[in-house]
Amino acid sequence: VNKYMFLPWLQPFGYAEFVRKNQEWRGLCNKMLDIRAAEIKENPEKFKNDETALTMLLTSKDKEGNPFFTRSRMVSTVCGFLNGAYDTTHATTFWLIYHLAKYPEIQEKLRLEIFKVLGSRKTCSVEEARQIEYLEAYIKESMRYVATVPINQRINYEEDITVGGWKIPKGTCVNIPNTLAFMNPDYFGPDADSFRPERFMTGDPWAEKAKRTWSAFGAYKRMCIGFTFALVELKAILISILQRYKVELVDPNIKPEIMVEAGVNQPKNHVLLRFIKHDAQAIAVENNLVWWGLQTSAQGA
């Protein structure tokens, strides 16, 4: 879909199919709104205090008491909710797990950090997850190394501005190449082409600049509204996996080819991963954790 937005010269080739698919997609989201609108009309009392997305889109008012969202804006917002809840999450999760398998020493360090906080307990609170600094650093490094969204777009709405010596007139649409920006050694260090989560951790000489520059979820007023939830979700996925399994690449030499699909970086080829179940118990010896032996093995794609 997005290739026609970013590469307009490709429009003659399959553009009609793109338009048809886009109309179908928006039609589905429009139907969801119609169903909820009918439900509200039939039983308004039931939805009086309902703060779910569809209800709020349909019932929110501005200061003058007029509908806050136009119908077109409602449909676009629902499209964003559905797309953001699926494509970005599953693509990011794949790259997180792939990098675990690709860098086993980092995987083991992350596993130990998780067990230092949680031990063998399978439950984890949001506060406990925040205590595992290396976990968030790992997620940020994975999303930097392979940007979930390779290109972002913003429009300079308010006034003419100058950035890096370049004048950007009001009303200009600006493409932001995240893939390129996240590999800039001026902001992420001379080893920006290496996978090193420590660059985001307190005490690293590049931490302050790296944290400030990292914008995988966007920034400021147009930042992804699901940022906080997504980060918690990704932490929960990694904790759950690493408490139970060691992850390996079936083919250690495989290098996934990347393609852009639905606006996100996806693996073009299948990557086989091996999940080796281990005993979740660990004991502390001289402030270190000692692992029990590995047990059963299972293989999946």
Side-chain angles (χ1 to χ4, degrees):
V1 171
N2 289 53
K3 65 184 177 182
Y4 296 115
M5 299 178 185
F6 300 123
L7 306 174
W9 55 85
L10 291 178
Q11 289 186 3
F13 305 97
Y15 187 63
E17 178 68 8
F18 160 71
V19 172
R20 185 180 69 81
K21 290 292 186 182
N22 188 50
Q23 289 174 341
E24 288 181 1
W25 172 236
R26 292 185 66 84
L28 173 63
C29 295
N30 195 50
K31 185 176 180 180
M32 292 173 65
L33 288 163
D34 285 340
I35 292 172
R36 177 53 54 88
E39 292 173 339
I40 294 173
K41 184 177 181 180
E42 181 179 348
N43 189 353
E45 192 63 29
K46 177 181 177 181
F47 294 92
K48 184 177 180 180
N49 298 313
D50 183 26
E51 295 185 348
T52 57
L54 292 178
T55 300
M56 293 188 71
L57 286 171
L58 288 161
T59 60
S60 295
K61 307 291 184 181
D62 61 18
K63 293 180 180 179
E64 286 74 39
N66 300 313
F68 187 84
F69 295 97
T70 64
R71 186 66 177 201
S72 178
R73 182 67 62 84
M74 291 183 201
V75 172
S76 295
T77 302
V78 175
C79 288
F81 283 152
L82 295 179
N83 181 66
Y86 180 73
D87 290 303
T88 50
T89 302
H90 84 69
T92 303
T93 301
F94 167 78
W95 293 113
L96 285 172
I97 298 174
Y98 168 76
H99 289 137
L100 287 178
K102 180 68 175 177
Y103 304 102
E105 69 287 352
I106 292 176
Q107 178 183 167
E108 288 307 311
K109 180 175 179 178
L110 181 54
R111 193 192 326 277
L112 290 174
E113 292 300 315
I114 290 171
F115 270 76
K116 284 178 182 178
V117 174
L118 300 178
S120 59
R121 179 164 47 87
K122 295 298 190 296
T123 58
C124 176
S125 68
V126 173
E127 286 302 319
E128 286 174 322
R130 286 176 180 160
Q131 294 176 31
I132 311 171
E133 185 184 9
Y134 196 64
L135 178 62
E136 184 160 332
Y138 173 79
I139 292 172
K140 288 183 175 181
E141 180 69 350
S142 181
M143 295 182 72
R144 180 195 73 86
Y145 205 67
V146 179
T148 302
V149 179
I151 301 175
N152 207 346
Q153 286 184 324
R154 290 293 180 263
I155 296 176
N156 177 23
Y157 270 121
E158 298 179 354
E159 60 184 359
D160 295 353
I161 60 172
T162 300
V163 178
W166 294 87
K167 182 179 179 180
I168 303 177
K170 178 181 177 180
T172 301
C173 181
V174 180
N175 285 339
I176 305 168
N178 288 337
T179 298
L180 180 63
F182 291 172
M183 288 293 173
N184 191 330
D186 292 340
Y187 297 97
F188 295 98
D191 61 345
D193 58 348
S194 300
F195 192 92
R196 189 175 68 86
E198 288 79 6
R199 77 179 78 249
F200 289 101
M201 296 186 67
T202 303
D204 189 272
W206 289 94
E208 183 179 350
K209 188 174 284 189
K211 289 178 180 179
R212 189 173 64 248
T213 308
W214 185 84
S215 56
F217 290 92
Y220 303 104
K221 294 180 181 179
R222 292 289 294 163
M223 188 175 189
C224 172
I225 61 173
F227 164 61
T228 302
F229 173 77
L231 200 56
V232 170
E233 187 176 37
L234 295 172
K235 287 181 179 180
I237 291 170
L238 286 174
I239 289 172
S240 182
I241 290 174
L242 290 172
Q243 283 185 320
R244 296 165 174 81
Y245 301 100
K246 177 180 178 181
V247 187
E248 295 179 346
L249 290 169
V250 173
D251 178 4
N253 298 315
I254 191 170
K255 294 182 179 180
E257 185 178 349
I258 298 175
M259 67 176 182
V260 179
E261 184 177 71
V264 300
N265 276 327
Q266 308 270 16
K268 187 174 183 178
N269 49 318
H270 288 179
V271 177
L272 292 177
L273 298 167
R274 180 179 294 113
F275 291 81
I276 304 173
K277 189 173 183 180
H278 62 68
D279 192 322
Q281 297 183 40
I283 57 176
V285 177
E286 296 179 358
N287 297 318
N288 293 313
L289 293 177
V290 178
W291 293 93
W292 297 86
L294 297 178
Q295 295 183 332
T296 57
S297 175
Q299 181 172 308

